[in-house]
């Protein structure tokens, strides 16, 4: 087994244990393996080990890596977890199965237009800037519910869940709790939260998917 495969198994085991400790149904938390900055060669062993759900933060990088891998492996589910520029909406809709970073009106409008033009419907999450960090993408938590409603009513977009990245230097628990609260208020089922350093905590707070990169592939 390669290092990445061993680490993948360890992460899966920890997710299973966290589900059990939180009285969650076994297998209810999806593992999104974040392969950004790692090339196809590094990803292949993880695919061979059965992992099928991956996250990338750049449209262009993903375009260079995944079409060929998709020809070799079936059932791949690709998540966009990085900020989306409106001039990349077309490529993003064509490539990704889930776009987790819808965070402003202009992107919602572009996505709606492209989804219609391409007849493709990637599943969508709204990214929430729970820490109100200036440099970070995501909508203000106080505007999130209204934005989810506008996505539906104005743009005809069904939002499936919410995503957040807590500030690096803070206890993530309150951020996960806030995201879960907004999701309840907005009537959303899915919560994408938790990364290598805090995915077990995120499971305890109700994450339905965790995005784990370095704990599987190593440091970037
Ligand atoms: C890179 C990244 C991750 C994975 O981070 P690790 O700490 O390596 O697990 C998760 N989510 C987003 C949005 C990322 O950009």
């Amino acid at each position: 087994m390669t290092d990445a495969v061993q680490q993948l198994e360890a992460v899966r085991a920890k997710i299973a244990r966290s589900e059990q400790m939180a009285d969650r149904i076994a297998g209810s938390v999806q593992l999104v393996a974040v392969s950004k900055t790692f090339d196809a060669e590094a990803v292949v062993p993880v695919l061979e080990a059965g992992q099928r759900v991956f996250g990338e933060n750049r449209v262009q990088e993903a375009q260079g890596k995944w079409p060929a891998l998709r020809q070799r492996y079936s059932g791949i589910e690709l998540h966009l977890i990085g900020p989306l520029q409106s001039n990349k909406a077309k490529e993003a809709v064509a490539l990704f199965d889930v776009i987790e970073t819808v965070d402003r009106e202009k992107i919602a409008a572009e996505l709606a237009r492209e989804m219609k033009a391409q007849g493709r419907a990637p599943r969508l999450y709204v990214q929430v800037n729970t820490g109100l960090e200036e440099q970070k993408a995501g909508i203000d938590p106080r505007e999130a519910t209204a934005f989810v409603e506008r996505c539906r009513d104005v743009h005809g977009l069904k939002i499936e869940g919410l995503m957040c990245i807590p500030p690096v230097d803070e206890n993530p628990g309150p951020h996960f709790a806030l995201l879960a609260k907004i999701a309840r208020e907005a009537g959303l089922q899915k919560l994408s939260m938790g990364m290598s350093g805090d995915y077990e905590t995120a499971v305890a707070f109700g994450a339905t998917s965790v995005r784990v990169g370095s704990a599987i592939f190593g440091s970037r």
Side-chain angles (χ1 to χ4, degrees):
M1 272 204 282
T2 66
D3 283 358
V5 170
Q6 261 168 17
Q7 282 158 189
L8 172 74
E9 298 305 339
V11 168
R12 282 184 181 157
K14 284 186 189 172
I15 291 172
R17 200 185 56 196
S18 304
E19 287 172 339
Q20 199 174 20
M21 277 167 51
D23 273 328
R24 309 260 322 259
I25 295 166
S28 58
V29 179
Q30 181 182 55
L31 172 61
V32 180
V34 177
S35 49
K36 67 186 185 197
T37 78
F38 290 93
D39 60 13
E41 203 183 328
V43 176
V44 162
V46 171
L47 281 159
E48 288 289 338
Q51 178 67 24
R52 285 295 180 273
V53 184
F54 290 87
E56 291 281 348
N57 69 333
R58 296 213 165 126
V59 175
Q60 213 161 353
E61 183 188 341
Q63 274 179 318
K65 199 188 300 183
W66 286 99
L69 289 171
R70 273 197 165 129
Q71 300 219 309
R72 287 172 62 188
Y73 298 92
S74 61
I76 288 172
E77 180 180 305
L78 211 51
H79 291 226
L80 178 63
I81 60 171
L84 179 58
Q85 260 67 59
S86 49
N87 64 357
K88 289 274 165 44
K90 182 176 184 174
E91 286 89 344
V93 166
L95 182 63
F96 288 94
D97 303 291
V98 181
I99 295 174
E100 300 200 10
T101 50
V102 183
D103 66 351
R104 58 194 189 278
E105 204 76 34
K106 192 171 175 211
I107 285 294
E110 274 304 311
L111 288 173
R113 212 170 60 92
E114 278 305 327
M115 286 164 65
K116 203 166 165 197
Q118 298 182 32
R120 267 183 63 84
R123 285 142 52 205
L124 304 175
Y125 286 53
V126 165
Q127 181 176 355
V128 183
N129 188 352
T130 58
L132 291 170
E133 293 173 283
E134 225 158 84
Q135 81 287 5
K136 202 166 268 173
I139 193 152
D140 184 317
R142 293 160 295 199
E143 295 164 13
T145 301
F147 179 62
V148 168
E149 285 167 4
R150 275 204 310 282
C151 283
R152 183 191 59 210
D153 298 340
V154 179
H155 303 289
L157 296 176
K158 181 181 173 345
I159 301 297
E160 188 166 290
L162 301 178
M163 177 271 225
C164 77
I165 311 168
V168 284
D169 52 356
E170 283 182 34
N171 174 5
H175 295 274
F176 296 153
L178 174 60
L179 198 71
K181 177 172 170 276
I182 298 169
R184 273 196 308 276
E185 286 166 5
L188 303 176
Q189 314 301 322
K190 298 290 171 83
L191 289 171
S192 171
M193 55 191 200
M195 313 188 352
S196 289
D198 54 19
Y199 65 90
E200 293 165 283
T201 306
V203 172
F205 279 93
T208 57
S209 62
V210 294
R211 310 177 307 269
V212 180
S214 48
I216 297 169
F217 292 102
S219 57
R220 291 180 293 270

